[in-house]
Amino acid sequence: MIVIASDHAAYPLKVSLLKYFDKNKINYLDLGTNSLESVDYPDYGIKLGKAVMSGKYEYGIAMCGTGIGISIAANKVKGVRAALVTNEKTAALAKEHNNANVIAFGGRTTTLKEAIKIIKAFNKAKYDPRHQKRIDKITNYEAEK
Ligand code: RB5
C-alpha cells in the first residue's frame, strides 16, 4: 500500500493519479488535500512523512507545485528519505542509491504520463546495499540530533 499527499497546487495531478491507481487496482491511502483551496505544503509533507515512518506503507508519494517544498518538509521527519524526482532515471536511482522511502514531484512540473513512468520506474528498481554506508551516515547524524 502506498501513501500519498499533496497540496492544492498538485491536487489536479493527484486526482488523475488516483484514477490511474483505482483503474489498476493499486492500493493507496490519500492524506489530502482534497480540493484546490490553498493549503500549506509543510502540513502535508510532515503528515506523509509520519505515515511512512509508521511502517504501514511501502513508500510515500509527495506532491506540491514543484515537489520541492513538500520534499523538504517530509525530510524533516526522522527516518524519511524523500527524493525529488523528475524522470524515470532519477526515480530508479532514488531507490537504487538512496533507498528513498518517499518520492516527490511537482504537480505544475510533471505530467500524468511522466508521473506514471516515475512510479513504475521506482517500483521496478531495487536498492543496492553497497550504498548502505552513506545512508548509515545520514541515519547516524539524525540519531545525534
Ligand atoms: C504553492 O503555491 C507552492 O509554493 C507549492 O505548491 C510548492 O511548489 C512549494 O514548494
Side-chain angles (χ1 to χ4, degrees):
M1 169 116 88
I2 298 170
V3 60
I4 187 166
S6 76
D7 73 355
H8 58 288
Y11 178 69
L13 176 61
K14 191 176 68 174
V15 168
S16 304
L17 254 186
L18 297 188
K19 275 188 199 150
Y20 167 81
F21 289 164
D22 289 339
K23 205 172 145 196
N24 290 278
K25 301 196 169 21
I26 296 167
N27 291 327
Y28 62 84
L29 175 74
D30 176 18
L31 297 179
T33 192
N34 300 313
S35 77
L36 291 171
E37 192 183 323
S38 184
V39 292
D40 298 329
Y41 63 78
D43 296 335
Y44 292 88
I46 292 165
K47 202 199 263 193
L48 181 86
K50 285 181 175 170
V52 167
M53 294 319 295
S54 75
K56 292 185 200 152
Y57 308 96
E58 282 166 58
Y59 66 92
I61 299 179
M63 296 181 292
C64 62
T66 56
I68 297 171
I70 200 160
S71 60
I72 293 172
N75 272 317
K76 298 299 176 191
V77 178
K78 203 171 189 172
V80 168
R81 289 181 301 280
L84 176 62
V85 296
T86 51
N87 52 36
E88 288 170 281
K89 183 81 184 165
T90 53
L93 285 167
K95 174 78 77 57
E96 291 164 7
H97 286 210
N98 312 109
N99 204 10
N101 47 18
V102 174
I103 49 171
F105 42 82
R108 292 174 176 157
T109 55
T110 308
T111 65
L112 174 63
K113 208 171 154 189
E114 288 166 340
I116 292 170
K117 281 189 188 173
I118 282 170
I119 292 165
K120 283 185 175 167
F122 186 75
N123 287 343
K124 196 170 146 210
K126 295 267 173 295
Y127 172 56
D128 180 346
R130 90 191 146 89
H131 295 280
Q132 191 58 42
K133 186 179 82 172
R134 288 134 190 180
I135 292 177
D136 286 346
K137 287 194 174 185
I138 299 170
T139 311
N140 292 343
Y141 175 70
E142 271 184 325
E144 280 170 19
K145 279 201 290 180

